[in-house]
Amino acid sequence: VNVVSWSCANNMLENTMTLFILLSAFYYLKSRKSKNAAFLMMSGLLLSAAVLSKGFVALYIWAFPFFFMLFEKDKFLKMLKHSFALVFWTILPIAILCFFHEEAANNMITYFRNQVQGSIESVATVNSRFEILWQFTQQVLPILALSVIAFLIARLKKLKTETIPNIKAAYILMASTFSGILPIMISLKQRGFYIVSVYPFFALATALLLLPYFKALMAGIRGKKYFYRSMQVFSVIAFLASIYLSSISINTIQRDEDIINDAYLVSITAGHGSTINICPGMRQEWSLNAYFVRYYNIYLDPRLEIHHEYFLSDGSCYNDMDSTYTEVEGGFQKYTLYKLDLTNVLSF
């Protein structure tokens, strides 16, 4: 399964974090080009938003100034100034938020204890710290295979290739990729989607490294008249097809119709903003959770020991359900909704 498309389809927090990380990297590069401190401040503020979206895993952008010193030969003092500015503007909004809102401060403390400290000391989802590297390798195997093929064809045909124009930029992007992966190895709590944000950096680095070889391969095709004509026709057809497919999809459900239908029926019965029980195994159905929260602000609680008025089940925990629940009829397609029977509860 492609972890990037899976994360997008399942509305993972990494999607939002990746957006802010890329914007932070963009404004850092813009600050170097324009020498405008406002862009450097913007980079730090956007990185702060990335941290608030997902957590400390976003902070690998702090390594950008070091990589520029390493590969672009920046002066040490310049690296220190940029690093200090990035750290300062990243921490400042979080510090202000925690200072004026006690709940925000408590949430940050809880996050650090449970997600950061807890994942290092006790939580384990893999057996090896190198698992995240293996998962990354599996995801990039197609592009690596394509790269090897392009390289071998260019060499076998003895095509004339140019020098890589932005080799230092490629090194910085590749280093940034692994700076976002290696810190995950500190903990045994690892999931493939934790590193979704590094794939754009890897893609850009690979594109820069392979550019001369693909330009050499395309040189022979580019001189043929049919190439441009066919590309123009294909582009027009693809554009018109995208417009048509988008127009016929307006106000229609293209996927997960049964889940969306059941979510709508639950919202009518349980009400917007309510909390209902679900089977523990359903907690990992991210699209299910996303639909309920996105459309109806309904929270799905997988804890069986806590009884809410309604219980949505996929049948996996039927034997674990309390006998005080009775089935609710209503045209559900994929799940079954149960309601707490107060009569049974009182008699019990």
Side-chain angles (χ1 to χ4, degrees), residues 262-279:
D262 287 0
Y264 170 71
L265 295 176
V266 170
S267 70
I268 294 176
T269 306
H272 288 238
S274 58
T275 300
I276 65 174
N277 286 106
I278 58 171
C279 293

Side-chain angles (χ1 to χ4, degrees), residues 224-278:
K224 299 179 180 179
K225 293 182 179 180
Y226 75 86
F227 174 75
Y228 282 110
R229 180 61 62 185
S230 59
M231 288 301 295
Q232 287 175 347
V233 173
F234 174 78
S235 299
V236 172
I237 293 175
F239 175 74
L240 294 176
S242 64
I243 296 297
Y244 173 73
L245 292 174
S246 298
S247 63
I248 64 174
S249 298
I250 297 175
N251 296 324
T252 63
I253 300 175
Q254 298 298 313
R255 65 168 186 255
D256 296 334
E257 182 176 0
D258 50 354
I259 300 178
I260 295 174
N261 171 76
D262 287 0
Y264 170 71
L265 295 176
V266 170
S267 70
I268 294 176
T269 306
H272 288 238
S274 58
T275 300
I276 65 174
N277 286 106
I278 58 171

Side-chain angles (χ1 to χ4, degrees), residues 19-33 39-40 42-43 46 61 64 201:
L19 174 62
F20 286 126
I21 285 177
L22 293 177
L23 286 171
S24 176
F26 170 77
Y27 277 102
Y28 178 75
L29 297 176
K30 199 169 179 64
S31 73
R32 291 182 59 85
K33 186 175 182 180
F39 290 132
L40 191 56
M42 183 64 69
S43 177
L46 287 164
I61 297 299
F64 252 36
F201 295 105

Side-chain angles (χ1 to χ4, degrees), residues 167-206:
I167 185 67
K168 292 180 180 179
Y171 290 157
I172 291 171
L173 290 167
M174 194 63 74
S176 300
T177 298
F178 287 98
S179 70
I181 298 174
L182 298 181
I184 305 295
M185 297 170 61
I186 297 174
S187 169
L188 285 173
K189 183 184 178 184
Q190 300 178 9
R191 300 267 178 79
F193 58 84
Y194 286 179
I195 57 171
V196 161
S197 64
V198 308
Y199 291 107
F201 295 105
F202 178 80
L204 290 171
T206 306

Side-chain angles (χ1 to χ4, degrees), residues 132-145:
I132 196 69
L133 280 175
W134 170 239
Q135 293 192 33
F136 171 75
T137 303
Q138 288 179 300
Q139 293 296 318
V140 300
L141 272 178
I143 188 62
L144 291 178

Side-chain angles (χ1 to χ4, degrees), residues 85-330:
L86 271 180
V87 172
F88 176 79
W89 290 113
T90 301
I91 293 178
L92 182 63
I94 300 175
I96 293 175
L97 181 65
C98 292
F99 180 79
F100 287 102
H101 295 277
E102 184 178 354
E103 290 184 359
N106 292 334
N107 285 338
M108 288 297 295
I109 294 172
T110 302
Y111 162 75
F112 182 82
R113 288 177 178 173
N114 295 344
Q115 298 296 325
V116 181
Q117 184 179 350
S119 64
I120 295 175
E121 296 178 350
S122 57
V123 180
T125 59
V126 295
N127 296 322
S128 171
R129 298 186 187 278
F130 294 94
E131 177 66 23
I132 196 69
L133 280 175
W134 170 239
Q135 293 192 33
F136 171 75
T137 303
Q138 288 179 300
Q139 293 296 318
V140 300
L141 272 178
I143 188 62
L144 291 178
L146 183 63
S147 303
V148 171
I149 292 172
F151 175 79
L152 291 177
I153 292 176
R155 288 298 185 185
L156 291 174
K157 289 189 173 185
K158 297 181 179 180
L159 299 176
K160 185 179 180 181
T161 58
E162 304 173 358
T163 57
I164 300 174
N166 296 304
I167 185 67
K168 292 180 180 179
Y171 290 157
I172 291 171
L173 290 167
M174 194 63 74
S176 300
T177 298
F178 287 98
S179 70
I181 298 174
L182 298 181
I184 305 295
M185 297 170 61
I186 297 174
S187 169
L188 285 173
K189 183 184 178 184
Q190 300 178 9
R191 300 267 178 79
F193 58 84
Y194 286 179
I195 57 171
V196 161
S197 64
V198 308
Y199 291 107
F201 295 105
F202 178 80
L204 290 171
T206 306
L208 288 174
L209 293 172
L210 291 176
L211 180 61
Y213 300 101
F214 277 97
K215 287 180 70 175
L217 291 173
M218 295 296 293
I221 303 175
R222 197 178 295 122
K224 299 179 180 179
K225 293 182 179 180
Y226 75 86
F227 174 75
Y228 282 110
R229 180 61 62 185
S230 59
M231 288 301 295
Q232 287 175 347
V233 173
F234 174 78
S235 299
V236 172
I237 293 175
F239 175 74
L240 294 176
S242 64
I243 296 297
Y244 173 73
L245 292 174
S246 298
S247 63
I248 64 174
S249 298
I250 297 175
N251 296 324
T252 63
I253 300 175
Q254 298 298 313
R255 65 168 186 255
D256 296 334
E257 182 176 0
D258 50 354
I259 300 178
I260 295 174
N261 171 76
D262 287 0
Y264 170 71
L265 295 176
V266 170
S267 70
I268 294 176
T269 306
H272 288 238
S274 58
T275 300
I276 65 174
N277 286 106
I278 58 171
C279 293
M282 296 167 63
R283 183 68 183 91
Q284 302 300 319
E285 296 182 25
W286 306 115
S287 58
L288 171 69
N289 287 268
Y291 286 133
F292 271 91
V293 173
R294 182 187 305 159
Y295 294 137
Y296 309 112
N297 195 29
I298 294 177
Y299 173 68
L300 307 182
D301 190 349
R303 297 171 295 177
L304 296 179
E305 66 274 13
I306 297 179
H307 293 72
H308 298 287
E309 185 177 2
Y310 291 94
F311 195 122
L312 190 68
S313 171
D314 61 355
S316 62
C317 63
Y318 181 80
N319 294 330
D320 299 323
M321 286 181 58
D322 197 293
S323 59
T324 56
Y325 282 98
T326 57
E327 184 176 342
V328 176
E329 300 293 338

